[in-house]
Amino acid sequence: FTLRQPILNFGAFPAYMSAKNTAKATKMYLSDVSAATLYNVAKGYYTVLSDLSLIKADAKTLSEAKSHLELTRAKLKAGLAIITDLLQAESQFYAAKQRLINSKNSLKSEKANLAALLGISRNFTVVEPQKPAVENIPLKKYIMLAYENNASLRSMEFAGKSAEDEVAYYESQYIPRIDFTASYNALSSDHFIPEGNTNYWTAAAVLTMPIFQGATRIISIEKARSEANQSMYGTAQAKLNLKARVISEFYNIRSLKYEVRTLGHEEKFASKNYMLVEEEFKAGVATSVDVVTALAELTKARHNLLAARLDYYESVLGLKKLTGTFERKLISLSVQRPHRAGN
C-alpha cells in the first residue's frame, strides 16, 4: 500500500477559509430568513390587534348612530324634525353598520393570514403585548447597529470573503506542492518470511511543479476575481441601501410618533364636539346635518388614529429588523383548539 501526506500545500489554507466563510454566510442567511419570518408574524399580529380596536371603534360609532336615529324618529313624531332629518340619520346608521361589517371581515382575513403563517387554527385569541418602541439614541448609532447586526448584510460580507479566498486558492496553484510518499512493498503473500528481504518500505518527498496548467489556472483566477468583484460591489450597494432604509425608518418613526399624538388629540376633540352637537340637537339648537357631520368627523378621526398607530408600530418593527435587534417576545397568543381540516 502507499501512504501520501501533503507537507506543503498553500492552496489548503484559502480553501479552508473559503469553506468556513461560506458556512458563516449560510448561517447569516438563515438568520435573515428567520428575522423576516418573525417580522411578518409580528406585523400580522399587530394588524390583528389594530382590527380588534377598529371593530370596537366602529361598534361605538354604530351605537352613536343608532341613538341619533332613535332620537330623530322621536322628534319626527313630535313634529320637531322633518323627514330629511330622518333619512340622513338612517343613511348614517346603515353606513356605520356597513363599516362594522367591513372591519369584522378584515379581522377574519388578517387572522387567516396570520394562522397560515404560524400553521395553526384561525380560532386563536391575542393578548396585547408591550408596545414596540425604539431607544432614544442618535441616528448614527442605528446605522452602525445595522452595519454590525443586519443578517442579510453580514451574509453578503461573508460570501464576499469566501469569494476572495477562492481567488487566493486559484492563485496558490502557481506555488509548487510538496508531498511525503511512503510505500510498503510485499513480494510474498506469506505472513512470515525468515529471510526478511522480500518486504520493504520506500519513502520519498515529491515536488509537484504546476507547469502545463497555466491557461486553465488563469481562466479560473479571472473567473474567481470577477465573482469576488461582483460580490464586493453588491455588498457595497447593499450597505448603501441599508443605510438609506435605516434613515428612512428613523425619520418615519419620528414623524408617525407626532402624528399619532396629534391624531389622538383630534379624536378627543372630535368626540367632545359630537357630544356637544348631539346635546344641541336634543335642545333644538343644532340640526340633524350638524350631528351627521360631527359623527362623520369623529369616525374619520378614529380610523386615522388607528391607522397611524399601526403604521408607527410597523415602522418600529422594521427598524428593529434592519438593525438586527428584533425581539422574539413581542407577541402572545393562545390557540383555542387544534387545527382541523377546513379551518
Side-chain angles (χ1 to χ4, degrees), residues 98-157:
Q98 184 60 48
R99 278 192 297 269
L100 179 58
I101 293 173
N102 293 340
S103 298
K104 290 181 178 180
N105 289 333
S106 177
L107 175 62
K108 293 178 181 178
S109 176
E110 293 299 336
K111 288 188 71 174
N113 293 334
L114 183 57
L117 188 60
L118 295 172
I120 62 175
S121 166
R122 297 196 306 269
N123 299 303
F124 62 84
T125 58
V126 292
V127 178
E128 188 166 353
Q130 184 179 359
K131 299 295 189 297
V134 293
E135 297 181 21
N136 188 20
I137 58 177
L139 173 60
K140 184 177 181 180
K141 187 169 182 179
Y142 276 116
I143 295 174
M144 295 306 299
L145 284 173
Y147 288 164
E148 294 173 3
N149 302 320
N150 185 271
S152 178
L153 180 63
R154 294 297 304 280
S155 177
M156 295 185 69
E157 289 174 345

Short mmCIF file of all heavy atoms in Angstrom, two decimals, residues 98-157:
data_model
loop_
_atom_site.label_atom_id
_atom_site.label_comp_id
_atom_site.label_asym_id
_atom_site.label_seq_id
_atom_site.Cartn_x
_atom_site.Cartn_y
_atom_site.Cartn_z
N GLN A 98 -72.34 49.15 7.97
CA GLN A 98 -71.51 48.56 6.92
C GLN A 98 -70.03 48.65 7.28
O GLN A 98 -69.26 47.71 7.02
CB GLN A 98 -71.77 49.27 5.59
CG GLN A 98 -71.02 48.66 4.41
CD GLN A 98 -71.39 47.20 4.18
OE1 GLN A 98 -72.56 46.84 4.15
NE2 GLN A 98 -70.39 46.35 4.03
N ARG A 99 -69.61 49.74 7.89
CA ARG A 99 -68.22 49.86 8.31
C ARG A 99 -67.86 48.80 9.35
O ARG A 99 -66.77 48.24 9.33
CB ARG A 99 -67.94 51.26 8.88
CG ARG A 99 -67.66 52.33 7.83
CD ARG A 99 -67.13 53.59 8.47
NE ARG A 99 -68.10 54.19 9.38
CZ ARG A 99 -68.99 55.11 9.01
NH1 ARG A 99 -69.03 55.52 7.74
NH2 ARG A 99 -69.84 55.61 9.89
N LEU A 100 -68.79 48.52 10.25
CA LEU A 100 -68.54 47.50 11.26
C LEU A 100 -68.41 46.12 10.61
O LEU A 100 -67.55 45.32 10.99
CB LEU A 100 -69.67 47.50 12.29
CG LEU A 100 -69.55 46.46 13.41
CD1 LEU A 100 -68.26 46.64 14.19
CD2 LEU A 100 -70.76 46.54 14.34
N ILE A 101 -69.26 45.85 9.63
CA ILE A 101 -69.18 44.57 8.92
C ILE A 101 -67.84 44.44 8.20
O ILE A 101 -67.18 43.39 8.23
CB ILE A 101 -70.35 44.44 7.91
CG1 ILE A 101 -71.69 44.33 8.66
CG2 ILE A 101 -70.15 43.23 7.00
CD1 ILE A 101 -72.91 44.37 7.77
N ASN A 102 -67.41 45.53 7.56
CA ASN A 102 -66.12 45.52 6.86
C ASN A 102 -64.96 45.28 7.83
O ASN A 102 -64.01 44.56 7.52
CB ASN A 102 -65.91 46.84 6.13
CG ASN A 102 -66.89 47.03 4.98
OD1 ASN A 102 -67.48 46.06 4.48
ND2 ASN A 102 -67.06 48.27 4.54
N SER A 103 -65.04 45.89 8.99
CA SER A 103 -63.99 45.71 9.99
C SER A 103 -63.92 44.27 10.46
O SER A 103 -62.84 43.70 10.63
CB SER A 103 -64.22 46.65 11.18
OG SER A 103 -64.19 48.00 10.78
N LYS A 104 -65.07 43.66 10.69
CA LYS A 104 -65.10 42.26 11.13
C LYS A 104 -64.55 41.33 10.04
O LYS A 104 -63.82 40.38 10.34
CB LYS A 104 -66.52 41.87 11.50
CG LYS A 104 -67.03 42.52 12.77
CD LYS A 104 -68.43 42.07 13.11
CE LYS A 104 -68.93 42.68 14.42
NZ LYS A 104 -70.30 42.24 14.76
N ASN A 105 -64.89 41.61 8.79
CA ASN A 105 -64.37 40.79 7.69
C ASN A 105 -62.86 40.96 7.54
O ASN A 105 -62.13 40.01 7.24
CB ASN A 105 -65.08 41.15 6.39
CG ASN A 105 -66.52 40.67 6.35
OD1 ASN A 105 -66.87 39.69 7.02
ND2 ASN A 105 -67.36 41.34 5.59
N SER A 106 -62.39 42.20 7.75
CA SER A 106 -60.96 42.45 7.69
C SER A 106 -60.22 41.68 8.78
O SER A 106 -59.15 41.12 8.55
CB SER A 106 -60.68 43.96 7.83
OG SER A 106 -59.30 44.22 7.85
N LEU A 107 -60.81 41.63 9.96
CA LEU A 107 -60.21 40.87 11.06
C LEU A 107 -60.12 39.39 10.71
O LEU A 107 -59.09 38.74 10.96
CB LEU A 107 -61.02 41.06 12.34
CG LEU A 107 -60.57 40.22 13.54
CD1 LEU A 107 -59.15 40.59 13.96
CD2 LEU A 107 -61.54 40.39 14.70
N LYS A 108 -61.18 38.84 10.15
CA LYS A 108 -61.17 37.43 9.75
C LYS A 108 -60.07 37.15 8.73
O LYS A 108 -59.37 36.14 8.80
CB LYS A 108 -62.53 37.03 9.18
CG LYS A 108 -63.67 37.04 10.21
CD LYS A 108 -64.99 36.69 9.55
CE LYS A 108 -66.13 36.72 10.56
NZ LYS A 108 -67.44 36.43 9.94
N SER A 109 -59.91 38.07 7.79
CA SER A 109 -58.89 37.90 6.76
C SER A 109 -57.48 37.94 7.37
O SER A 109 -56.62 37.10 7.04
CB SER A 109 -59.04 39.00 5.71
OG SER A 109 -58.00 38.93 4.75
N GLU A 110 -57.24 38.92 8.24
CA GLU A 110 -55.92 39.04 8.86
C GLU A 110 -55.61 37.86 9.77
O GLU A 110 -54.48 37.39 9.83
CB GLU A 110 -55.83 40.36 9.63
CG GLU A 110 -55.86 41.60 8.76
CD GLU A 110 -54.71 41.67 7.77
OE1 GLU A 110 -53.66 41.04 8.04
OE2 GLU A 110 -54.84 42.33 6.74
N LYS A 111 -56.62 37.37 10.49
CA LYS A 111 -56.40 36.21 11.35
C LYS A 111 -56.09 34.97 10.51
O LYS A 111 -55.27 34.14 10.90
CB LYS A 111 -57.62 35.97 12.24
CG LYS A 111 -57.80 36.99 13.34
CD LYS A 111 -58.90 36.60 14.32
CE LYS A 111 -58.52 35.44 15.18
NZ LYS A 111 -59.51 35.15 16.22
N ALA A 112 -56.74 34.85 9.36
CA ALA A 112 -56.47 33.72 8.47
C ALA A 112 -55.04 33.80 7.94
O ALA A 112 -54.35 32.77 7.87
CB ALA A 112 -57.46 33.72 7.31
N ASN A 113 -54.58 34.99 7.58
CA ASN A 113 -53.21 35.15 7.09
C ASN A 113 -52.19 34.81 8.18
O ASN A 113 -51.19 34.13 7.92
CB ASN A 113 -52.99 36.59 6.61
CG ASN A 113 -53.79 36.92 5.38
OD1 ASN A 113 -54.14 36.03 4.60
ND2 ASN A 113 -54.09 38.18 5.17
N LEU A 114 -52.45 35.29 9.39
CA LEU A 114 -51.54 35.01 10.50
C LEU A 114 -51.55 33.53 10.87
O LEU A 114 -50.50 32.94 11.15
CB LEU A 114 -51.92 35.86 11.72
CG LEU A 114 -51.01 35.75 12.94
CD1 LEU A 114 -49.57 36.10 12.57
CD2 LEU A 114 -51.51 36.65 14.07
N ALA A 115 -52.73 32.92 10.84
CA ALA A 115 -52.83 31.49 11.15
C ALA A 115 -52.08 30.66 10.11
O ALA A 115 -51.41 29.67 10.45
CB ALA A 115 -54.29 31.07 11.20
N ALA A 116 -52.16 31.06 8.85
CA ALA A 116 -51.43 30.35 7.79
C ALA A 116 -49.93 30.49 7.98
O ALA A 116 -49.17 29.54 7.75
CB ALA A 116 -51.85 30.89 6.43
N LEU A 117 -49.50 31.66 8.41
CA LEU A 117 -48.08 31.89 8.63
C LEU A 117 -47.55 31.07 9.80
O LEU A 117 -46.42 30.56 9.78
CB LEU A 117 -47.83 33.38 8.89
CG LEU A 117 -46.38 33.86 8.96
CD1 LEU A 117 -45.65 33.57 7.65
CD2 LEU A 117 -46.33 35.34 9.27
N LEU A 118 -48.38 30.90 10.82
CA LEU A 118 -47.98 30.15 12.02
C LEU A 118 -48.29 28.67 11.91
O LEU A 118 -47.80 27.87 12.71
CB LEU A 118 -48.67 30.72 13.25
CG LEU A 118 -48.29 32.16 13.64
CD1 LEU A 118 -49.20 32.66 14.76
CD2 LEU A 118 -46.84 32.24 14.06
N GLY A 119 -49.16 28.30 10.97
CA GLY A 119 -49.55 26.90 10.84
C GLY A 119 -50.49 26.44 11.93
O GLY A 119 -50.38 25.31 12.41
N ILE A 120 -51.41 27.32 12.36
CA ILE A 120 -52.35 26.99 13.43
C ILE A 120 -53.77 27.26 12.95
O ILE A 120 -53.99 27.75 11.84
CB ILE A 120 -52.07 27.79 14.71
CG1 ILE A 120 -52.23 29.30 14.43
CG2 ILE A 120 -50.68 27.49 15.25
CD1 ILE A 120 -52.08 30.17 15.65
N SER A 121 -54.72 26.96 13.82
CA SER A 121 -56.13 27.23 13.51
C SER A 121 -56.40 28.73 13.54
O SER A 121 -55.70 29.49 14.20
CB SER A 121 -57.02 26.52 14.54
OG SER A 121 -58.34 27.01 14.47
N ARG A 122 -57.44 29.13 12.81
CA ARG A 122 -57.84 30.55 12.82
C ARG A 122 -58.49 30.92 14.14
O ARG A 122 -58.63 32.10 14.45
CB ARG A 122 -58.83 30.84 11.69
CG ARG A 122 -58.27 30.64 10.29
CD ARG A 122 -59.15 31.32 9.25
NE ARG A 122 -60.53 30.89 9.34
CZ ARG A 122 -61.03 29.87 8.65
NH1 ARG A 122 -60.25 29.15 7.86
NH2 ARG A 122 -62.30 29.55 8.77
N ASN A 123 -58.88 29.95 14.93
CA ASN A 123 -59.55 30.21 16.20
C ASN A 123 -58.53 30.43 17.31
O ASN A 123 -58.27 29.55 18.12
CB ASN A 123 -60.49 29.06 16.55
CG ASN A 123 -61.57 28.88 15.50
OD1 ASN A 123 -62.32 29.79 15.22
ND2 ASN A 123 -61.63 27.70 14.91
N PHE A 124 -57.90 31.57 17.29
CA PHE A 124 -56.95 31.90 18.33
C PHE A 124 -57.28 33.29 18.89
O PHE A 124 -57.96 34.08 18.24
CB PHE A 124 -55.50 31.86 17.82
CG PHE A 124 -55.22 32.86 16.73
CD1 PHE A 124 -54.88 34.17 17.02
CD2 PHE A 124 -55.27 32.48 15.39
CE1 PHE A 124 -54.61 35.08 16.02
CE2 PHE A 124 -55.00 33.39 14.38
CZ PHE A 124 -54.68 34.69 14.70
N THR A 125 -56.83 33.52 20.07
CA THR A 125 -57.02 34.83 20.69
C THR A 125 -55.66 35.50 20.86
O THR A 125 -54.63 34.83 20.95
CB THR A 125 -57.69 34.70 22.07
OG1 THR A 125 -56.89 33.85 22.90
CG2 THR A 125 -59.09 34.11 21.93
N VAL A 126 -55.67 36.80 20.88
CA VAL A 126 -54.43 37.55 21.00
C VAL A 126 -54.43 38.33 22.32
O VAL A 126 -55.47 38.76 22.79
CB VAL A 126 -54.24 38.52 19.82
CG1 VAL A 126 -54.01 37.76 18.54
CG2 VAL A 126 -55.44 39.45 19.67
N VAL A 127 -53.26 38.47 22.87
CA VAL A 127 -53.08 39.25 24.09
C VAL A 127 -52.19 40.43 23.73
O VAL A 127 -51.12 40.25 23.15
CB VAL A 127 -52.43 38.41 25.20
CG1 VAL A 127 -52.21 39.25 26.45
CG2 VAL A 127 -53.29 37.20 25.51
N GLU A 128 -52.64 41.62 24.05
CA GLU A 128 -51.88 42.80 23.66
C GLU A 128 -50.59 42.88 24.46
O GLU A 128 -50.60 42.97 25.69
CB GLU A 128 -52.71 44.07 23.88
CG GLU A 128 -52.05 45.30 23.32
CD GLU A 128 -53.02 46.48 23.25
OE1 GLU A 128 -54.21 46.27 23.51
OE2 GLU A 128 -52.56 47.59 22.94
N PRO A 129 -49.44 42.83 23.79
CA PRO A 129 -48.16 42.87 24.49
C PRO A 129 -47.73 44.31 24.75
O PRO A 129 -48.45 45.26 24.46
CB PRO A 129 -47.21 42.19 23.50
CG PRO A 129 -47.78 42.58 22.17
CD PRO A 129 -49.28 42.69 22.34
N GLN A 130 -46.52 44.43 25.26
CA GLN A 130 -45.96 45.76 25.44
C GLN A 130 -45.75 46.41 24.08
O GLN A 130 -45.31 45.78 23.14
CB GLN A 130 -44.63 45.67 26.20
CG GLN A 130 -44.01 47.01 26.53
CD GLN A 130 -42.71 46.86 27.30
OE1 GLN A 130 -42.30 45.75 27.61
NE2 GLN A 130 -42.08 47.97 27.62
N LYS A 131 -46.07 47.68 24.00
CA LYS A 131 -45.97 48.40 22.72
C LYS A 131 -44.51 48.42 22.26
O LYS A 131 -43.61 48.70 23.05
CB LYS A 131 -46.50 49.82 22.86
CG LYS A 131 -47.95 49.90 23.26
CD LYS A 131 -48.85 49.34 22.17
CE LYS A 131 -50.33 49.61 22.46
NZ LYS A 131 -50.79 48.96 23.68
N PRO A 132 -44.27 48.13 20.99
CA PRO A 132 -42.88 48.22 20.49
C PRO A 132 -42.40 49.65 20.49
O PRO A 132 -43.14 50.57 20.14
CB PRO A 132 -42.99 47.66 19.06
CG PRO A 132 -44.41 47.90 18.67
CD PRO A 132 -45.22 47.76 19.94
N ALA A 133 -41.18 49.84 20.90
CA ALA A 133 -40.62 51.19 20.97
C ALA A 133 -39.15 51.13 20.60
O ALA A 133 -38.52 50.06 20.61
CB ALA A 133 -40.80 51.77 22.37
N VAL A 134 -38.59 52.26 20.26
CA VAL A 134 -37.19 52.35 19.90
C VAL A 134 -36.44 53.13 20.97
O VAL A 134 -37.02 53.95 21.69
CB VAL A 134 -37.00 53.04 18.53
CG1 VAL A 134 -37.57 52.19 17.42
CG2 VAL A 134 -37.67 54.41 18.53
N GLU A 135 -35.15 52.85 21.07
CA GLU A 135 -34.33 53.55 22.04
C GLU A 135 -34.05 54.97 21.55
O GLU A 135 -33.98 55.23 20.35
CB GLU A 135 -33.01 52.80 22.25
CG GLU A 135 -33.18 51.41 22.83
CD GLU A 135 -31.84 50.74 23.04
OE1 GLU A 135 -30.83 51.44 23.12
OE2 GLU A 135 -31.82 49.50 23.12
N ASN A 136 -33.89 55.85 22.50
CA ASN A 136 -33.60 57.24 22.17
C ASN A 136 -32.10 57.41 21.98
O ASN A 136 -31.38 57.93 22.83
CB ASN A 136 -34.11 58.16 23.28
CG ASN A 136 -34.01 59.63 22.90
OD1 ASN A 136 -33.90 59.97 21.72
ND2 ASN A 136 -34.02 60.50 23.89
N ILE A 137 -31.61 56.95 20.84
CA ILE A 137 -30.19 57.05 20.51
C ILE A 137 -30.03 57.76 19.17
O ILE A 137 -30.97 57.80 18.38
CB ILE A 137 -29.54 55.65 20.46
CG1 ILE A 137 -30.23 54.76 19.42
CG2 ILE A 137 -29.57 54.99 21.84
CD1 ILE A 137 -29.59 53.40 19.28
N PRO A 138 -28.86 58.31 18.89
CA PRO A 138 -28.65 59.05 17.64
C PRO A 138 -28.80 58.16 16.41
O PRO A 138 -28.62 56.94 16.47
CB PRO A 138 -27.22 59.59 17.77
CG PRO A 138 -26.90 59.53 19.23
CD PRO A 138 -27.67 58.38 19.77
N LEU A 139 -29.11 58.79 15.30
CA LEU A 139 -29.26 58.07 14.04
C LEU A 139 -27.97 57.35 13.65
O LEU A 139 -28.00 56.22 13.14
CB LEU A 139 -29.67 59.05 12.93
CG LEU A 139 -29.71 58.50 11.50
CD1 LEU A 139 -30.69 57.35 11.38
CD2 LEU A 139 -30.05 59.62 10.52
N LYS A 140 -26.84 57.98 13.92
CA LYS A 140 -25.56 57.39 13.56
C LYS A 140 -25.38 56.03 14.22
O LYS A 140 -24.83 55.09 13.61
CB LYS A 140 -24.43 58.33 13.96
CG LYS A 140 -23.05 57.86 13.54
CD LYS A 140 -21.99 58.89 13.91
CE LYS A 140 -20.60 58.42 13.47
NZ LYS A 140 -19.56 59.41 13.83
N LYS A 141 -25.83 55.90 15.46
CA LYS A 141 -25.68 54.63 16.17
C LYS A 141 -26.59 53.57 15.57
O LYS A 141 -26.21 52.39 15.50
CB LYS A 141 -25.99 54.82 17.65
CG LYS A 141 -25.68 53.59 18.48
CD LYS A 141 -25.75 53.85 19.97
CE LYS A 141 -25.37 52.59 20.76
NZ LYS A 141 -25.42 52.83 22.22
N TYR A 142 -27.78 53.96 15.13
CA TYR A 142 -28.66 52.99 14.47
C TYR A 142 -28.02 52.47 13.18
O TYR A 142 -28.13 51.28 12.85
CB TYR A 142 -30.01 53.64 14.15
CG TYR A 142 -30.98 53.63 15.30
CD1 TYR A 142 -31.41 54.81 15.88
CD2 TYR A 142 -31.46 52.43 15.81
CE1 TYR A 142 -32.31 54.80 16.95
CE2 TYR A 142 -32.36 52.40 16.87
CZ TYR A 142 -32.77 53.59 17.43
OH TYR A 142 -33.64 53.58 18.49
N ILE A 143 -27.36 53.36 12.46
CA ILE A 143 -26.69 52.94 11.23
C ILE A 143 -25.57 51.95 11.55
O ILE A 143 -25.40 50.93 10.87
CB ILE A 143 -26.15 54.16 10.47
CG1 ILE A 143 -27.31 55.05 10.01
CG2 ILE A 143 -25.32 53.73 9.28
CD1 ILE A 143 -26.88 56.36 9.38
N MET A 144 -24.80 52.24 12.60
CA MET A 144 -23.72 51.34 12.99
C MET A 144 -24.27 49.99 13.46
O MET A 144 -23.69 48.94 13.16
CB MET A 144 -22.88 51.98 14.10
CG MET A 144 -22.14 53.24 13.67
SD MET A 144 -21.09 52.97 12.21
CE MET A 144 -19.97 51.72 12.82
N LEU A 145 -25.39 50.02 14.19
CA LEU A 145 -26.02 48.77 14.60
C LEU A 145 -26.45 47.93 13.40
O LEU A 145 -26.32 46.70 13.39
CB LEU A 145 -27.24 49.06 15.49
CG LEU A 145 -26.96 49.48 16.93
CD1 LEU A 145 -28.27 49.90 17.61
CD2 LEU A 145 -26.30 48.34 17.71
N ALA A 146 -26.95 48.60 12.38
CA ALA A 146 -27.37 47.90 11.16
C ALA A 146 -26.17 47.28 10.47
O ALA A 146 -26.22 46.12 10.01
CB ALA A 146 -28.09 48.85 10.23
N TYR A 147 -25.06 48.04 10.38
CA TYR A 147 -23.85 47.50 9.76
C TYR A 147 -23.32 46.28 10.52
O TYR A 147 -22.80 45.34 9.92
CB TYR A 147 -22.76 48.57 9.72
CG TYR A 147 -23.01 49.68 8.70
CD1 TYR A 147 -22.31 50.88 8.77
CD2 TYR A 147 -23.93 49.51 7.68
CE1 TYR A 147 -22.53 51.89 7.85
CE2 TYR A 147 -24.16 50.51 6.76
CZ TYR A 147 -23.46 51.71 6.84
OH TYR A 147 -23.68 52.71 5.94
N GLU A 148 -23.45 46.31 11.84
CA GLU A 148 -22.89 45.24 12.66
C GLU A 148 -23.80 44.01 12.77
O GLU A 148 -23.31 42.88 12.84
CB GLU A 148 -22.60 45.77 14.07
CG GLU A 148 -21.52 46.83 14.12
CD GLU A 148 -21.39 47.45 15.50
OE1 GLU A 148 -22.12 47.00 16.42
OE2 GLU A 148 -20.58 48.37 15.67
N ASN A 149 -25.11 44.24 12.77
CA ASN A 149 -26.03 43.15 13.13
C ASN A 149 -26.98 42.71 12.03
O ASN A 149 -27.65 41.67 12.19
CB ASN A 149 -26.87 43.57 14.35
CG ASN A 149 -26.02 43.91 15.55
OD1 ASN A 149 -25.02 43.25 15.82
ND2 ASN A 149 -26.39 44.95 16.28
N ASN A 150 -27.11 43.47 10.95
CA ASN A 150 -28.05 43.07 9.91
C ASN A 150 -27.61 41.76 9.27
O ASN A 150 -26.52 41.68 8.69
CB ASN A 150 -28.16 44.17 8.86
CG ASN A 150 -29.22 43.85 7.82
OD1 ASN A 150 -28.94 43.22 6.80
ND2 ASN A 150 -30.43 44.28 8.06
N ALA A 151 -28.44 40.73 9.40
CA ALA A 151 -28.05 39.39 8.95
C ALA A 151 -27.85 39.31 7.44
O ALA A 151 -26.95 38.62 6.96
CB ALA A 151 -29.11 38.38 9.39
N SER A 152 -28.66 40.03 6.69
CA SER A 152 -28.54 40.00 5.23
C SER A 152 -27.20 40.59 4.79
O SER A 152 -26.51 40.02 3.93
CB SER A 152 -29.69 40.77 4.59
OG SER A 152 -29.56 40.80 3.19
N LEU A 153 -26.82 41.73 5.37
CA LEU A 153 -25.55 42.35 5.03
C LEU A 153 -24.39 41.47 5.47
O LEU A 153 -23.41 41.30 4.73
CB LEU A 153 -25.45 43.73 5.68
CG LEU A 153 -24.16 44.50 5.40
CD1 LEU A 153 -24.02 44.81 3.93
CD2 LEU A 153 -24.11 45.80 6.22
N ARG A 154 -24.47 40.90 6.67
CA ARG A 154 -23.40 40.03 7.16
C ARG A 154 -23.24 38.81 6.26
O ARG A 154 -22.12 38.35 6.02
CB ARG A 154 -23.70 39.59 8.59
CG ARG A 154 -23.69 40.70 9.62
CD ARG A 154 -22.34 41.36 9.75
NE ARG A 154 -21.29 40.39 10.06
CZ ARG A 154 -21.06 39.90 11.28
NH1 ARG A 154 -21.81 40.29 12.31
NH2 ARG A 154 -20.08 39.03 11.46
N SER A 155 -24.35 38.28 5.78
CA SER A 155 -24.28 37.13 4.88
C SER A 155 -23.54 37.49 3.60
O SER A 155 -22.70 36.72 3.11
CB SER A 155 -25.70 36.64 4.55
OG SER A 155 -25.66 35.58 3.62
N MET A 156 -23.81 38.67 3.07
CA MET A 156 -23.13 39.11 1.85
C MET A 156 -21.65 39.36 2.11
O MET A 156 -20.80 39.08 1.26
CB MET A 156 -23.79 40.37 1.32
CG MET A 156 -25.23 40.18 0.86
SD MET A 156 -25.94 41.65 0.12
CE MET A 156 -25.00 41.74 -1.41
N GLU A 157 -21.33 39.88 3.30
CA GLU A 157 -19.92 40.11 3.63
C GLU A 157 -19.15 38.80 3.72
O GLU A 157 -18.02 38.69 3.21
CB GLU A 157 -19.83 40.88 4.95
CG GLU A 157 -20.27 42.33 4.84
CD GLU A 157 -20.30 43.04 6.18
OE1 GLU A 157 -20.26 42.34 7.22
OE2 GLU A 157 -20.37 44.27 6.19
#
